[in-house]
Amino acid sequence: MNNSGLPADVNEFMNDIGVNVRMSGCLAWQEDAKIKEAMMDYRDRWSRSRVTPEALREKCFQIGMRDDETRRVIDWLTKTQSGRRLIPSRRIGLRWPG
């Protein structure tokens, strides 16, 4: 864990998302797809024991996401942690850092 309350790998991933959020001013579809793909392909990294909705919500705001974007990401997290499937808008070939 780090000061964000997230595990280091998830924190780093969200920091990478934040770079593009800040550049574009919003959570673009490409970043949507990256988050969804990460949550589905690396489900264990997003488990309830590692990532709480509160910690992820705080991180989303730290990296510049709007309220509506943050709500969407938290909804995806909740679905992922409940074992439900997310469908990315487009497969982008994500590679998890590390």
Side-chain angles (χ1 to χ4, degrees):
M1 293 280 180
N2 52 49
N3 62 1
S4 74
L6 293 173
D9 56 346
V10 174
N11 189 61
E12 180 182 337
F13 174 78
M14 292 305 294
N15 283 338
D16 290 342
I17 296 292
V19 169
N20 292 323
V21 167
R22 285 186 292 279
M23 286 189 332
S24 66
C26 67
L27 184 65
W29 71 266
Q30 297 94 332
E31 303 312 310
D32 265 18
K34 286 179 187 176
I35 294 169
K36 287 179 183 178
E37 189 172 345
M39 287 182 175
M40 291 304 298
D41 289 350
Y42 303 97
R43 214 177 259 274
D44 57 320
R45 295 181 185 212
W46 299 89
S47 68
R48 286 185 180 118
S49 64
R50 296 187 85 226
V51 179
T52 65
E54 296 77 22
L56 186 57
R57 182 177 294 109
E58 181 180 326
K59 186 64 180 184
C60 288
F61 287 133
Q62 285 176 3
I63 64 172
M65 285 187 195
R66 299 182 315 236
D67 288 339
D68 61 320
E69 296 165 340
T70 298
R71 280 193 301 275
R72 260 194 345 254
V73 171
I74 298 305
D75 182 54
W76 300 334
L77 177 67
T78 303
K79 288 178 180 177
T80 299
Q81 291 177 341
S82 298
R84 294 173 59 195
R85 186 167 183 246
L86 303 176
I87 301 172
S89 53
R90 182 175 172 184
R91 189 95 176 148
I92 57 172
L94 175 73
R95 289 227 175 268
W96 191 272

